[in-house]
Amino acid sequence: MEVIIILVVLAILIAGSFLFAFFWATKDGQFDDTFSPSVRILLDNDRDENKTH
Amino acid sequence: MNSSISEIDAKVVCYHCGNDCKEEDILEDDKHFCCSGCYTVYDILKDNNLCGYYDLNANAGVSLKAKNFKGKFDYLSEKAIENELLSYQDEQIAKVILSVPSIHCSSCVWLLENFPKILKGVFTSRLNFVKKELSLDFDPNVVSLKEIVELMATLGYEPQINLESTGKLKKIDHETRKLLFKIGVTGFCAGNIMMMSFPEYFNLDLANKLDATYQKFFLYFNFLLALPVFFYGASDYLKGAYYSILENLKGNSNILSVDIPIALGITALFLRSTYETFVPQTAGYWDSMAGLVLFLLVGKWVQTVTFNYLSFDRSYKSYFPLAVKVKNQSANYKNVNELQKGDVFFVHHQELIPTDAILMEGNALIDYSFVTGESNPVKKLKGETVFAGGRQVADQIELLVQKPVSTSYLTQLWNNESFLKEKEIPTTALANAFSKYFTYLTIAIAAAVGIYWKFNNPELIWPAVTAVLMVACPCALTLSLPFTMNTTMSIFGRNKFFVKNQGVIQQLSEIDTMVFDKTGTLTEANHGEVRLVGELSYYEKNLVYGVVSQSVHPLSKLVSSYLQGSNSLEVNYIFEVKGQGIEAIVDGRSVKIGKLDFVKNINAESQNSEVHVMIDNEYKGYFTVEPRFRANWKTLLQKLSKTFTIALLSGDNPRMSETLKPIFGSRMRFNQSPQDKLDYIKQLQNSGSHVMMIGDGLNDAGALRESKIGIALTEDVQAFSPSCDAILDAERIDKLDDYVRFSKTALNIVKLSFLLSVVYNIMGVGWAASGELSPVVAAIFMPLSTLSVVFFSVGLTWLVARYKKMV
């Protein structure tokens, strides 16, 4: 029944990957502007037509 | 659908900006526009199929009335100046970050992010709404920065370009990021520790071999997870406590920082749990410790939340233009910072003079109201010195630089010592004051408990003593302050009173003296009251109205609105001499209005706020414009004078002292220079007063900085305001006493919640002293007490605000 120990370690690793994702997001500035993304997601209707970058 | 609504409405509002179409009404596509500016924007949007702008928010636009951008951004065509603004540049791509203060709604986001559709050559456009910054990538071969900025201005989103703007990327707030990392790590560990602690709480059967294996695994796993919480998450508290103790031992300070009892509690938790893990091998208090640190860090984060779209730290640099047009040099435009003695440069109508200079050419009429508060423009003759900060209100002039910008008469104020040191606003003063007693009391109780058990049951000494230190940790106490202050800040924000940080609210409650500026603070900055001295017949009024309605000069506009209702007669000829007056032939009669020396054609002194009228060479009298006081100013001051000492500091002349005397008595000073104002505040504070200064212009900058709390009053919160601790919307000045009173209430709520947390502590210490505090009880009791105190203080603050109708 040591399988629970393996499962716990696995669970921590998976949770740890989310922690890493959080670090990444913070470093990337995801939490610097919390308003415009909420608007942006609603507005993006036809921008793809002339995507230039 | 929209048009049917506006038909029912008595008022016709502009489809673009929502303003009243009283003076002008342009009808196009069944839509009304208040000015050609607004119509132009609509036209551009329609051509580019971007009318979705109006579907998101009705009348979303920015009013463009009386805006003229022609030539304003010409300096951007100078390569050196452009390069200074760009944050990156190569052959194919250029990047720039522009500050756009007029961004206000989701339509703005939509339009500005669709910028590549409107202007060819712009690749991407990304808006940071919180900071009000637009990042643009564009092809420098196709489009220039000047064209981009001009189009933005035309659309109503004029970027703010001043001496402070440079292409350098704004520095990232590393402190806040570090805190976020800590919250992330601590939250991760706390969650997992709690999960791992469950088996222990649900009574593992240690006689069972399998259960015993798991129990040990969970024990050591918890220990591993707790290490980052203690050494990383709580490091600030441990360090803070260490330095505070060090300072006390050295005798430099006798304040025991609130970090000490917190560090004491966390350390006690850590050591006791480590002991429990490795010696008797039973569950420690790991979950209590992790939860505690997590709460503390969240509280710390709440404390840093501010109105980061507002700028509270402005110096003269934010007011000065980035570049001026220079004469006889290799480049046409020069960065203001690089101006040297001997350079000759031009200042246009309505531009700010960036440095002390001698007038070489042109008709100088300088409005110093920005610097001195004096409301009448001053006339300067060739060869006279003009000072930095003045605004040229007549035509273009040519100036010879006397001093570089940084040493000019105006900027000297910023070399004053009060600007050199960071203004200290204590954010933890209240908690620190409390912590002194708290620390000593906790240690005393722990010692007493230890001595008691030494004689009764020596085995219980350490369990009891550590338990007391653990439970007594002032977590609830340190959290209630930031959460209450944060709530207060957002309530103030809803009422258009924006404080710089939480410490300001604390200081606000200690104010006993209020000092007011006059021009722009007690009086309205842009509006005046027009009075006619002399007599004009109905026909003559019509003649004058015909002339002034053709002019855009501020005085003409005031007179024109005063004469509203007159019939405009046909104007046959009109000639305006900027800063002097207007000559015209209306209905066959010669009409001359303006300055006394202009209309009479003689050398005569006249006040600049007077408009003299001459019809057919006969002097008829004059219109005079007097500053208009803000609504309810008298009631406000009378209310304030009951609780506070109030005083007036004005840079203007004492011509209105009669009106003000009954309220301020002898506490009035006129003709004050910015330095005088600063000195007056200093003198008041040295005599023990806690001074709040309320002002609006650069002339108050020194006083705002020197005073305990400097409040900048502004018509537009987004617009310029001098360096200050709080920004107040001018409309709400009559609520000033409510704000001060509410800050006192907020502080009382904090004190009340301190009391509540003390009650919890007494309960907890009772448990702990008996040596009976089990890990489960601690894990439930500690977070519960903390949360209930936070809910209590935040809830009470909202309730009081609702009762006072502030939310």
Side-chain angles (χ1 to χ4, degrees):
Chain A
M1 278 292 275
E2 272 89 15
V3 70
I4 291 190
I5 292 178
I6 297 166
L7 285 178
V8 166
V9 173
L10 262 176
I12 293 281
L13 285 179
I14 292 168
S17 68
F18 285 109
L19 183 65
F20 174 74
F22 172 75
F23 280 177
W24 186 14
T26 310
K27 250 190 195 147
D28 212 37
Q30 293 251 320
F31 302 104
D32 292 354
D33 177 13
T34 45
F35 181 84
S36 20
S38 69
V39 177
R40 201 171 287 138
I41 197 165
L42 297 172
L43 305 179
D44 233 354
N45 41 12
D46 53 347
R47 181 143 2 131
D48 284 338
E49 288 168 20
N50 48 353
K51 209 173 188 176
T52 35
H53 57 89
Chain B
M1 203 183 90
N2 269 347
S3 60
S4 69
I5 290 172
S6 57
E7 268 164 32
I8 301 163
D9 269 354
K11 265 197 295 190
V12 177
V13 293
C14 177
Y15 184 68
H16 177 70
C17 71
N19 274 358
D20 220 342
C21 299
K22 214 160 49 185
E23 287 154 37
E24 210 178 330
D25 189 0
I26 302 169
L27 199 65
E28 178 79 31
D29 299 344
D30 276 344
K31 295 169 180 91
H32 298 269
F33 296 95
C34 70
C35 58
S36 56
C38 288
Y39 171 67
T40 314
V41 180
Y42 170 75
D43 208 36
I44 294 173
L45 295 185
K46 200 178 74 176
D47 285 349
N48 290 288
N49 212 4
L50 288 173
C51 280
Y53 182 70
Y54 301 104
D55 300 337
L56 292 163
N57 295 284
N59 318 117
V62 178
S63 170
L64 287 157
K65 226 172 243 182
K67 288 273 162 72
N68 185 8
F69 304 107
K70 207 169 158 242
K72 195 175 169 186
F73 301 108
D74 279 351
Y75 59 87
L76 290 174
S77 52
E78 189 69 49
K79 265 277 163 260
I81 305 286
E82 190 183 355
N83 288 348
E84 234 165 293
L85 286 169
L86 296 176
S87 54
Y88 175 81
Q89 189 179 22
D90 65 24
E91 302 281 288
Q92 277 88 39
I93 195 166
K95 290 172 192 273
V96 68
I97 298 173
L98 295 165
S99 165
V100 190
S102 52
I103 292 167
H104 60 281
C105 66
S106 45
S107 291
C108 307
V109 181
W110 190 74
L111 178 62
L112 289 173
E113 297 216 331
N114 273 317
F115 214 66
K117 279 191 188 173
I118 310 173
L119 195 62
K120 234 188 172 149
V122 179
F123 301 134
T124 53
S125 165
R126 195 130 179 112
L127 185 70
N128 183 326
F129 192 89
V130 177
K131 286 188 187 154
K132 311 219 178 241
E133 279 172 0
L134 185 71
S135 317
L136 290 165
D137 296 358
F138 61 95
D139 187 344
N141 305 314
V142 179
V143 70
S144 72
L145 184 62
K146 183 184 157 220
E147 285 168 286
I148 293 176
V149 170
E150 273 178 349
L151 180 62
M152 282 174 72
T154 316
L155 292 173
Y157 299 101
E158 186 185 344
Q160 209 173 73
I161 301 173
N162 54 44
L163 204 47
E164 248 176 355
S165 357
T166 50
K168 304 241 171 58
L169 290 167
K170 298 267 161 59
K171 69 166 184 271
I172 300 156
D173 186 359
H174 285 291
E175 281 304 305
T176 313
R177 283 202 179 167
K178 236 191 237 166
L179 195 56
L180 280 177
F181 284 147
K182 280 184 183 167
I183 291 175
V185 170
T186 312
F188 168 79
C189 295
N192 284 303
I193 290 173
M194 268 174 218
M195 205 171 67
M196 306 276 176
S197 300
F198 270 120
E200 186 83 30
Y201 297 158
F202 291 119
N203 290 325
L204 286 170
D205 178 12
L206 290 183
N208 181 327
K209 195 173 157 258
L210 199 66
D211 273 16
T213 325
Y214 285 142
Q215 193 251 358
K216 277 204 187 121
F217 170 71
F218 289 134
L219 268 184
Y220 297 133
F221 216 103
N222 269 351
F223 174 71
L224 284 180
L225 283 170
L227 288 177
V229 175
F230 183 74
F231 288 105
Y232 179 61
S235 58
D236 281 347
Y237 295 99
L238 301 176
K239 269 187 233 159
Y242 172 71
Y243 288 125
S244 177
I245 292 171
L246 215 62
E247 288 291 291
N248 269 280
L249 289 180
K250 278 188 195 158
N252 290 346
S253 127
N254 58 353
I255 298 165
L256 288 181
S257 130
V258 75
D259 287 345
I260 295 176
I262 292 173
L264 210 60
I266 297 172
T267 315
L269 278 163
F270 183 74
L271 293 178
R272 169 80 183 270
S273 306
T274 312
Y275 170 81
E276 298 274 349
T277 305
F278 290 101
V279 184
Q281 300 200 318
T282 51
Y285 300 84
W286 295 124
D287 47 354
S288 303
M289 185 187 92
L292 179 80
V293 175
L294 181 63
F295 281 134
L296 287 171
L297 289 174
V298 169
K300 207 174 199 174
W301 175 74
V302 164
Q303 203 158 34
T304 62
V305 175
T306 46
F307 302 101
N308 51 3
Y309 56 91
L310 295 175
S311 179
F312 293 95
D313 298 303
R314 286 202 167 109
S315 71
Y316 63 92
K317 287 190 172 170
S318 325
Y319 297 89
F320 282 6
L322 178 67
V324 284
K325 192 172 183 180
V326 286
K327 195 180 176 183
N328 301 335
Q329 295 208 8
S330 54
N332 280 328
Y333 293 90
K334 202 168 179 180
N335 186 313
V336 165
N337 270 330
E338 286 161 11
L339 284 178
Q340 279 161 2
K341 193 176 172 181
D343 285 354
V344 178
F345 67 101
F346 299 96
V347 169
H348 301 100
H349 180 58
Q350 287 299 333
E351 278 181 353
L352 215 59
I353 296 164
T355 189
D356 300 351
I358 287 175
L359 181 65
M360 301 283 286
E361 204 68 60
N363 195 352
L365 194 64
I366 317 285
D367 172 11
Y368 280 115
S369 63
F370 199 46
V371 189
T372 61
E374 161 76 51
S375 46
N376 293 332
V378 187
K379 192 172 177 171
K380 291 279 176 183
L381 298 173
K382 217 180 274 183
E384 279 188 296
T385 309
V386 292
F387 292 105
R391 194 181 288 281
Q392 162 70 341
V393 286
D395 278 335
Q396 170 177 297
I397 47 172
E398 216 175 292
L399 296 169
L400 176 72
V401 178
Q402 283 301 292
K403 285 175 185 165
V405 173
S406 56
T407 58
S408 76
Y409 170 73
L410 175 72
T411 45
Q412 263 172 15
L413 184 66
W414 273 266
N415 297 329
N416 189 288
E417 54 169 331
S418 66
F419 280 97
L420 295 179
K421 55 171 195 267
E422 195 66 25
K423 190 167 178 176
E424 253 180 68
I425 294 174
T427 45
T428 50
L430 192 65
N432 280 349
F434 211 76
S435 126
K436 197 172 179 175
Y437 307 103
F438 201 89
T439 312
Y440 288 133
L441 197 68
T442 315
I443 293 173
I445 292 173
V449 168
I451 291 165
Y452 172 81
W453 287 117
K454 188 174 164 55
F455 294 110
N456 290 294
N457 186 356
E459 271 181 19
L460 279 178
I461 295 180
W462 287 114
V465 168
T466 47
V468 167
L469 293 179
M470 276 154 38
V471 165
C473 183
C475 179
L477 193 138
T478 38
L479 283 179
S480 75
L481 185 69
F483 275 97
T484 313
M485 290 303 163
N486 181 270
T487 317
T488 311
M489 261 173 96
S490 68
I491 290 166
F492 280 167
R494 281 170 176 233
N495 289 282
K496 300 196 173 169
F497 178 49
F498 303 93
V499 296
K500 186 176 171 183
N501 59 33
Q502 299 195 347
V504 174
I505 297 171
Q506 229 163 297
Q507 300 215 310
L508 199 60
S509 65
E510 293 162 13
I511 290 303
D512 56 24
T513 309
M514 289 187 182
V515 180
F516 290 86
D517 167 50
K518 189 187 67 105
T519 318
T521 304
L522 289 181
T523 62
E524 286 178 31
N526 305 324
H527 303 282
E529 211 140 20
V530 181
R531 200 157 52 89
L532 175 61
V533 180
E535 276 214 25
L536 289 178
S537 69
Y538 178 69
Y539 175 70
E540 286 164 339
K541 277 184 182 169
N542 286 347
L543 289 177
V544 175
Y545 183 69
V547 178
V548 290
S549 57
Q550 304 270 325
S551 160
V552 292
H553 191 276
L555 281 177
S556 305
K557 285 194 158 174
L558 282 171
V559 174
S560 154
S561 64
Y562 174 79
L563 293 174
Q564 197 89 50
S566 310
N567 291 316
S568 188
L569 295 166
E570 197 196 339
V571 179
N572 312 99
Y573 161 82
I574 187 160
F575 181 70
E576 186 166 353
V577 185
K578 268 199 183 136
Q580 291 298 317
I582 309 171
E583 234 174 351
I585 294 168
V586 188
D587 201 28
R589 313 276 291 266
S590 133
V591 180
K592 250 176 135 182
I593 65 164
K595 289 203 163 148
L596 190 59
D597 49 357
F598 174 77
V599 295
K600 284 198 170 171
N601 219 351
I602 49 157
N603 233 342
E605 276 295 306
S606 76
Q607 296 278 4
N608 286 299
S609 52
E610 289 171 1
V611 179
H612 297 263
V613 180
M614 183 95 106
I615 295 170
D616 286 342
N617 282 325
E618 194 185 336
Y619 183 68
K620 289 286 178 187
Y622 61 93
F623 296 93
T624 170
V625 181
E626 282 165 358
R628 189 164 72 194
F629 282 96
R630 293 193 189 277
N632 301 328
W633 69 284
K634 226 173 207 166
T635 350
L636 169 80
L637 291 175
Q638 275 160 354
K639 240 192 295 176
L640 288 175
S641 62
K642 280 179 197 146
T643 14
F644 303 97
T645 314
I646 54 172
L648 182 86
L649 275 184
S650 177
D652 205 357
N653 55 38
R655 72 193 149 119
M656 291 174 99
S657 63
E658 287 299 301
T659 334
L660 296 160
K661 194 146 190 149
I663 293 156
F664 289 103
S666 60
R667 291 180 168 272
M668 288 192 298
R669 293 191 175 199
F670 294 97
N671 294 321
Q672 299 281 297
S673 75
Q675 185 69 42
D676 291 341
K677 288 188 173 185
L678 194 156
D679 292 340
Y680 179 74
I681 303 278
K682 200 176 230 169
Q683 182 200 328
L684 272 180
Q685 301 214 123
N686 285 344
S687 64
S689 303
H690 300 283
V691 182
M692 172 158 116
M693 171 81 203
I694 302 116
D696 71 315
L698 261 188
N699 59 325
D700 304 313
L704 289 174
R705 179 79 182 197
E706 181 65 32
S707 59
K708 193 159 184 176
I709 291 195
I711 297 182
L713 204 69
T714 165
E715 311 273 334
D716 174 9
V717 177
Q718 300 296 343
F720 288 133
S721 55
S723 165
C724 59
D725 303 305
I727 298 174
L728 175 62
D729 191 304
E731 269 173 40
R732 304 296 179 102
I733 189 174
D734 56 324
K735 292 278 188 314
L736 198 61
D737 62 324
D738 291 345
Y739 299 141
V740 177
R741 227 176 304 133
F742 194 78
S743 73
K744 286 183 182 162
T745 313
L747 233 62
N748 284 334
I749 290 173
V750 172
K751 284 175 187 160
L752 216 59
S753 66
F754 280 10
L755 209 68
L756 184 67
S757 81
V758 166
V759 171
Y760 276 126
N761 270 322
I762 291 170
M763 275 166 61
V765 167
W767 250 320
S770 63
E772 300 279 297
L773 187 77
S774 74
V776 194
V777 173
I780 296 168
F781 174 75
M782 289 176 65
L784 210 62
S785 67
T786 308
L787 285 180
S788 66
V789 168
V790 168
F791 278 125
F792 167 80
S793 55
V794 170
L796 197 59
T797 313
W798 272 106
L799 278 179
V800 173
R802 172 149 300 179
Y803 174 71
K804 294 200 168 169
K805 302 212 164 65
M806 287 175 83
V807 280

Short mmCIF file of all heavy atoms in Angstrom, two decimals, chain B residues 142 222 614 622 795:
data_model
loop_
_atom_site.label_atom_id
_atom_site.label_comp_id
_atom_site.label_asym_id
_atom_site.label_seq_id
_atom_site.Cartn_x
_atom_site.Cartn_y
_atom_site.Cartn_z
N VAL B 142 7.13 53.63 -42.74
CA VAL B 142 5.79 53.90 -43.25
C VAL B 142 5.13 55.06 -42.50
O VAL B 142 4.49 55.92 -43.09
CB VAL B 142 4.91 52.63 -43.14
CG1 VAL B 142 3.50 52.91 -43.64
CG2 VAL B 142 5.54 51.49 -43.90
N ASN B 222 5.44 17.10 5.98
CA ASN B 222 5.01 18.40 6.50
C ASN B 222 6.21 19.26 6.89
O ASN B 222 6.23 20.46 6.63
CB ASN B 222 4.12 18.20 7.73
CG ASN B 222 2.67 18.11 7.37
OD1 ASN B 222 2.31 18.36 6.22
ND2 ASN B 222 1.83 17.76 8.33
N MET B 614 -15.33 100.16 -26.93
CA MET B 614 -15.37 101.47 -27.60
C MET B 614 -16.22 101.30 -28.85
O MET B 614 -15.93 100.43 -29.69
CB MET B 614 -13.93 101.85 -27.99
CG MET B 614 -13.79 103.17 -28.62
SD MET B 614 -13.37 104.38 -27.38
CE MET B 614 -11.67 104.64 -27.75
N TYR B 622 -16.65 98.95 -19.43
CA TYR B 622 -15.91 97.70 -19.57
C TYR B 622 -16.61 96.53 -18.87
O TYR B 622 -17.42 96.72 -17.97
CB TYR B 622 -14.48 97.85 -19.06
CG TYR B 622 -14.35 98.20 -17.60
CD1 TYR B 622 -14.21 97.19 -16.63
CD2 TYR B 622 -14.35 99.53 -17.16
CE1 TYR B 622 -14.09 97.49 -15.30
CE2 TYR B 622 -14.23 99.84 -15.82
CZ TYR B 622 -14.10 98.81 -14.89
OH TYR B 622 -13.98 99.12 -13.57
N GLY B 795 -16.44 44.83 7.57
CA GLY B 795 -17.90 44.97 7.57
C GLY B 795 -18.36 46.23 8.26
O GLY B 795 -19.21 46.97 7.74
#
